Amino acid sequence: MSEAEDTTDIFDHVRRARGFMPLDEGRALHGAAVEAARTLGLPLLEIGSYCGRSTLLLADAARAAGTVAVTVDHHRGSEEQQPGEEYHDPATADPADPGRMDTLPLFRRTLAEAGVEEYVVAVVGGSARAASALGGGGGGRYGLVFIDGGHSEAQAVEDYESWVPQLAVDGLLVIHDVFPDPADGGQAPYRIWRRAVESGAFAEVSVCRSLRVLRRTVSDRV
C-alpha cells in the first residue's frame, strides 16, 4: 500500500507527528498492536515515546479493543537526540532550560490532536524504576511490549530486562531499529532481538525492515 492510498485516520495524524517511525514500519507496528489488543485484551506497553508518533498507533489499537497503551519515557531525549547530535530537533528544547530537551509537551499535543489521550497512560521517568514501580517482573501484565528507547547497550538491556518479563504468553514483543549489519545502524537493538530469539521463549512472527515482531511462547525464560 502506498502512502497516498493509506487513508486510515490515525495515519493522517501519524504523518503530521514528529518522530522517526516510517509509515511502512508503523503499519506493521499497528497491525501487531491490533492483534495483541484484540486477542489478549491486555494493556500495550511502549518504551520510548519521543513526541508520540508511534504512541498514536498503540493508542488506536487500544481504543478499538477497550484497553490502554502505557508509555514509558523520561522525555529528555536519547543520546542521538541531544543538542549537537544527528537527530536533534530544536523544537524539543525545554523553554526553561534550552540546553535540555523536553518532549512531553509535544507528546501531549500529539495525543490531544488525534483524540486518543484517554487511551494512553503516560509514565514519565526512567525505564527500570518505572518497571519496578508498576509491579516488577510479574508476567502476564502486557499483551504487547514495544522497545524503542535509548539505543546504547546499557539502555537496551535495561529495557529488555525490565519489561519483557512482564509480557504475557502469546503476547507480542516488538523491537525497532534492528540492524543485523553494523553499517546500517547501532547494534544494541539487534543484540536484544538475538537474545530473545536465542532464549527459546519466542517465535518469530514478522519483519518489516528494522521492525521485528516476536510472539512469546513460554513463561519461564526470556
Side-chain angles (χ1 to χ4, degrees):
M1 181 183 293
S2 71
E3 182 173 336
E5 292 170 327
D6 185 354
T7 58
T8 307
D9 287 347
I10 201 65
F11 278 92
D12 293 338
H13 293 284
V14 169
R15 289 188 189 92
R16 292 193 290 271
R18 281 183 167 82
F20 307 101
M21 175 65 69
L23 288 178
D24 57 345
E25 294 180 342
R27 283 190 283 271
L29 172 62
H30 186 253
V34 167
E35 177 189 339
R38 181 180 62 236
T39 302
L40 298 177
L42 294 170
L44 312 173
L45 176 75
E46 173 182 65
I47 306 152
S49 305
Y50 191 54
C51 298
R53 188 173 198 186
S54 57
T55 310
L56 294 176
L57 303 170
L58 301 192
D60 185 66
R63 172 171 55 185
T67 185
V68 296
V70 179
T71 70
V72 178
D73 198 312
H74 48 58
H75 288 282
R76 294 298 187 181
S78 57
E79 300 86 348
E80 67 275 9
Q81 297 163 359
Q82 299 305 312
E85 298 299 325
E86 181 179 3
Y87 293 102
H88 180 64
D89 181 346
T92 63
D94 185 339
D97 185 357
R100 301 184 74 195
M101 292 176 59
D102 183 6
T103 58
L104 184 57
L106 295 168
F107 171 81
R108 295 195 65 177
R109 188 182 309 158
T110 297
L111 302 186
E113 290 176 351
V116 296
E117 284 183 294
E118 66 183 290
Y119 305 101
V120 177
V121 176
V123 179
V124 181
S127 181
R129 287 188 175 182
S132 178
L134 292 180
R141 185 176 298 273
Y142 299 102
L144 177 143
V145 169
F146 174 45
I147 300 180
D148 193 23
H151 289 357
S152 69
E153 189 73 23
Q155 188 61 63
V157 169
E158 178 179 288
D159 292 341
Y160 184 93
E161 293 181 348
S162 297
W163 295 105
V164 174
Q166 300 195 45
L167 178 64
V169 173
D170 292 328
L172 298 178
L173 171 61
V174 185
I175 304 175
H176 195 217
D177 294 328
V178 174
F179 298 111
D181 185 346
D184 295 328
Q187 292 294 284
Y190 172 71
R191 281 191 280 270
I192 62 169
W193 172 77
R194 289 298 319 166
R195 176 174 172 175
V197 171
E198 292 167 2
S199 72
F202 295 90
E204 297 182 73
V205 174
S206 65
V207 175
C208 179
R209 295 199 294 140
S210 77
L211 190 90
R212 307 296 177 96
V213 181
L214 304 165
R215 187 183 311 280
R216 187 168 188 177
T217 56
V218 298
S219 61
D220 61 346
R221 59 185 183 274
V222 293

